[in-house]
Amino acid sequence: MKRGVKGRVLLIGATVLLSVIFFLPSTPWFDSMPEWWKRFLPHQGITLGLDLQGGMHLVMEVDVERAVDNVLDRAVLDLGDRLKEQQINATPARDGRSVAVAMTDVADREKISKIVDDRFAMLRSGDVKGETLVLDLRSGEADRIQKAAVSQALETIRNRIDQFGVTEPLIQMQGERQILIQLPGEKDPQRALNVIGKTALLEFKLLDEESPVAAQLPPQVLPGQEEALLAEWQAKVPPGDQILFERVTAEEGPVSKRPYLVKERAVMTGESLQDALVTIGEFNEPQVSITFDGAGAAQFERITSENVRKRLAIVLDDSIYSAPVIQERIGGGRAQISGAFTMDEANDLAIVLRAGALPAPVNVIQNVTVGPSLGQDSIDAGIRAAWIGTLLVVAFMAIYYRLAGVIADFALVLNVLLLIGALAALNATLTLPGIAGIILTIGMSVDSNVLIFERIREELRQGKPVRLAVDAGYEKAFLTVVDSHVTTLITALVLFLFGTGPIKGFAVTLSLGVTINLFTALVGTKVVFDLINARAKVAQLSI
């Protein structure tokens, strides 16, 4: 046997074996495989994309204007605290994209400006209008906040979806403020939408039970009547208070909303939240247990010690989940959110709390649910096209190049086998464009063999022995084959770098197919010719 043939045969055998091992989890027979296989060998195969197995396609837009408003609102609260600490009698309030600080004594302007310069880098002291100091956003701050809001929203949504358990989601920026989300195989689109779109701003607010308005509010309203109640009571709500609603759920489902008069300013937010887990409460109902970090635990202990016998509302996105009475000081940084949850609702709430809050609301621009029947049709059409293309190529090569054509067909089969094995090893997502890439690879897989066979024919016509003609044919075609594959690979790389989801899928299968084709054409077919020449002196080659 020619030197090196055995090594190449072993190499091909090993790659085929690995491909089969990696591809097996993608087959229907994998469920019947023994448990030890699933524990020690690959158990994740090729994942079907949204267009093949159905699912959700969402385009969401981040409300970046609201993000700027939120940042200014927080700055107003923080500045108010600083002014109180410094015993400066002034009240800040947001005025559009500025902060107006109403001063009792204009002589405090310098002190206020120094606090702003030291603690609030995004603001700069502007003009004084009467007894009001105007603080403006610095140049470029609004753009920075908006870009940061979109990036944070993208990361938060990615974290939530990861914890939600969707396999191979596609989450990426689209334009300057939109986020494209594809969830292949998602069967409960409304639940997924609730998890993704919830702002998850967690706040703790004290109820204002001393105001007469609190006692006059109706005990409950029907869902959908909240706006009417707010319009009716808007003029009666004391300054600094607001009306929020708690969902009241009976056994048959949500039946009413309970209005509460709460302090508008939160005594604590969820910024110090460290973890959120679903636990079972005293009456066997699911609830969400939250844990604060060290600073948050100290703050929560102080708040509860200062407000014993008062009610503390746990508010998420302006909806009250529970409003328990504080019986005693609560140390240890732990609290429970109970709200007549189902287990799924409790899990979803824990997910959004762990993943963090969105910096601003996100609006659904496009929401398309792709049915699985469309995916099955696509799979059937793709498989049919692949079979027809493969059979035509195999028949042409076998007829035109005879035995050499059969060897090229062997390389084609080897190419497809290694390609699907590589896709499974990478746990790649197969989409309809990906199937198109596989079909294109099938066509390309014989091109390099055609180049090599034509060079071998030229050598045979010059009267060279078969073995020398085969070696010379491969040597002369080598650079041409490599050049053609490298140029195609560069094109696929550009498609991957600058394309979107489906184009990337096409680029991945094309790149893998071209690379594997180079291996099968220069190593796979050559080793077959070498095996033929090693066993006997071949006087004539069927080509």
Side-chain angles (χ1 to χ4, degrees):
M1 185 176 289
K2 190 174 180 178
R3 187 180 178 184
V5 172
K6 186 181 292 184
R8 282 178 283 161
V9 170
L10 290 174
L11 177 63
I12 293 172
T15 53
V16 169
L17 180 62
L18 282 175
S19 298
V20 171
I21 290 174
F22 278 109
F23 182 63
L24 262 179
S26 306
T27 64
W29 310 291
F30 186 68
D31 291 338
S32 59
M33 298 296 289
E35 286 300 319
W36 62 263
W37 179 290
K38 299 176 183 178
R39 282 200 302 272
F40 300 109
L41 294 174
H43 57 276
Q44 288 183 317
I46 298 173
T47 304
L48 299 182
L50 183 70
D51 51 355
L52 295 182
Q53 65 168 322
M56 288 185 68
H57 172 96
L58 288 170
V59 178
M60 310 190 84
E61 186 173 75
V62 181
D63 188 349
V64 293
E65 302 298 330
R66 181 71 178 276
V68 178
D69 291 344
N70 289 344
V71 170
L72 282 173
D73 286 339
R74 287 196 294 272
V76 167
L77 292 175
D78 289 345
L79 180 57
D81 291 340
R82 301 296 171 192
L83 294 176
K84 283 183 180 177
E85 288 176 4
Q86 300 291 326
Q87 297 182 337
I88 298 174
N89 196 6
T91 305
R94 186 164 65 84
D95 183 13
R97 288 293 174 86
S98 301
V99 176
V101 184
M103 301 176 290
T104 305
D105 186 354
V106 293
D108 291 330
R109 175 189 174 177
E110 292 301 324
K111 296 179 182 176
I112 298 172
S113 296
K114 187 174 187 313
I115 293 173
V116 171
D117 292 340
D118 292 343
R119 309 285 303 195
F120 302 90
M122 64 180 176
L123 297 174
R124 64 176 179 81
S125 298
D127 299 330
V128 176
K129 298 177 180 177
E131 295 179 342
T132 302
L133 173 62
V134 178
L135 307 176
D136 298 315
L137 271 177
R138 291 185 184 276
S139 175
E141 277 297 314
D143 288 341
R144 185 192 64 78
I145 294 170
Q146 291 175 352
K147 290 179 181 176
V150 176
S151 298
Q152 185 182 341
L154 181 71
E155 190 62 31
T156 302
I157 289 174
R158 181 174 287 121
N159 289 338
R160 290 182 182 182
I161 291 175
D162 286 346
Q163 298 187 41
F164 194 60
V166 177
T167 306
E168 293 295 323
L170 172 66
I171 309 159
Q172 63 185 29
M173 293 279 299
Q174 181 172 283
E176 295 183 351
R177 59 180 64 179
Q178 293 184 352
I179 298 173
L180 170 67
I181 304 166
Q182 290 187 346
L183 306 178
E186 178 52 45
K187 302 294 191 302
D188 191 347
Q190 188 56 50
R191 183 185 171 202
L193 194 60
N194 290 339
V195 171
I196 296 169
K198 194 184 288 291
T199 306
L201 175 60
L202 179 65
E203 297 172 298
F204 295 85
K205 295 185 174 183
L206 289 168
L207 268 61
D208 187 358
E209 297 177 287
E210 297 178 355
S211 170
V213 175
Q216 296 169 8
L217 285 172
Q220 62 182 30
V221 296
L222 294 176
Q225 295 183 349
E226 298 93 333
E227 293 296 329
L229 183 139
L230 290 176
E232 179 185 350
W233 287 83
Q234 185 177 11
K236 304 175 185 176
V237 174
D241 286 357
Q242 65 179 148
I243 296 175
L244 296 179
F245 297 87
E246 178 189 14
R247 187 184 65 170
V248 180
T249 305
E251 291 183 359
E252 296 79 13
V255 295
S256 63
K257 296 287 187 72
R258 181 178 300 155
Y260 286 108
L261 185 68
V262 301
K263 297 288 185 182
E264 191 170 8
R265 183 172 181 180
V267 293
M268 187 176 176
T269 66
E271 291 180 351
S272 301
L273 191 69
Q274 191 175 52
D275 198 6
L277 296 171
V278 176
T279 55
I280 302 300
E282 183 181 355
F283 301 103
N284 204 32
E285 79 285 3
Q287 60 185 20
V288 179
S289 296
I290 55 179
T291 307
F292 298 106
D293 59 19
Q299 185 181 5
F300 193 67
E301 184 173 359
R302 178 183 58 78
I303 291 169
T304 53
S305 64
E306 293 174 355
N307 297 282
V308 174
R309 303 297 176 193
K310 294 181 181 178
R311 299 187 71 175
L312 181 67
I314 302 174
V315 183
L316 185 71
D317 292 344
D318 287 337
S319 293
I320 294 178
Y321 276 74
S322 55
V325 177
I326 302 172
Q327 301 291 352
E328 58 184 356
R329 181 176 65 184
I330 302 175
R334 294 180 182 276
Q336 282 77 40
I337 303 176
S338 56
F341 300 120
T342 64
M343 185 56 77
D344 281 345
E345 289 172 339
N347 278 323
D348 294 346
L349 178 58
I351 287 172
V352 297
L353 290 176
R354 282 199 301 269
L358 291 172
V362 290
N363 303 313
V364 178
I365 304 300
Q366 188 178 23
N367 179 8
V368 179
T369 301
V370 181
S373 59
L374 176 62
Q376 189 59 49
D377 292 343
S378 302
I379 293 172
D380 294 341
I383 292 175
R384 190 162 54 248
W387 272 113
I388 293 173
T390 303
L391 291 175
L392 288 176
V393 170
V394 166
F396 172 78
M397 293 300 291
I399 293 171
Y400 192 73
Y401 288 106
R402 291 171 287 184
L403 176 62
V406 175
I407 295 174
D409 292 338
F410 158 74
L412 186 152
V413 174
L414 184 63
N415 195 347
V416 173
L417 185 60
L418 297 185
L419 177 56
I420 59 177
L423 289 173
L426 295 173
N427 196 23
T429 300
L430 184 62
T431 62
L432 199 56
I435 293 178
I438 294 175
I439 296 173
L440 178 60
T441 302
I442 291 173
M444 292 178 60
S445 66
V446 297
D447 283 352
S448 48
N449 290 303
V450 169
L451 289 172
I452 295 168
F453 293 169
E454 290 301 323
R455 299 291 86 75
I456 294 175
R457 277 180 166 179
E458 291 175 1
E459 298 298 323
L460 291 173
R461 281 196 288 268
Q462 292 174 9
K464 285 188 177 180
V466 171
R467 177 177 296 177
L468 294 178
V470 169
D471 291 343
Y474 273 90
E475 287 176 5
K476 290 185 177 180
F478 179 81
L479 287 179
T480 306
V481 171
V482 171
D483 286 348
S484 64
H485 283 69
V486 169
T487 52
T488 307
L489 199 58
I490 292 172
T491 305
L493 182 63
V494 172
L495 285 175
F496 183 81
L497 290 177
F498 297 102
T500 55
I503 303 300
K504 282 181 182 289
F506 175 78
V508 168
T509 53
L510 183 61
S511 303
L512 289 173
V514 167
T515 305
I516 292 170
N517 186 47
L518 201 58
F519 171 75
T520 56
L522 298 178
V523 178
T525 56
K526 182 66 165 53
V527 77
V528 177
F529 282 116
D530 288 342
L531 285 173
I532 293 173
N533 288 323
R535 291 184 177 277
K537 185 176 181 181
V538 181
Q540 189 174 2
L541 183 63
S542 176
I543 187 170

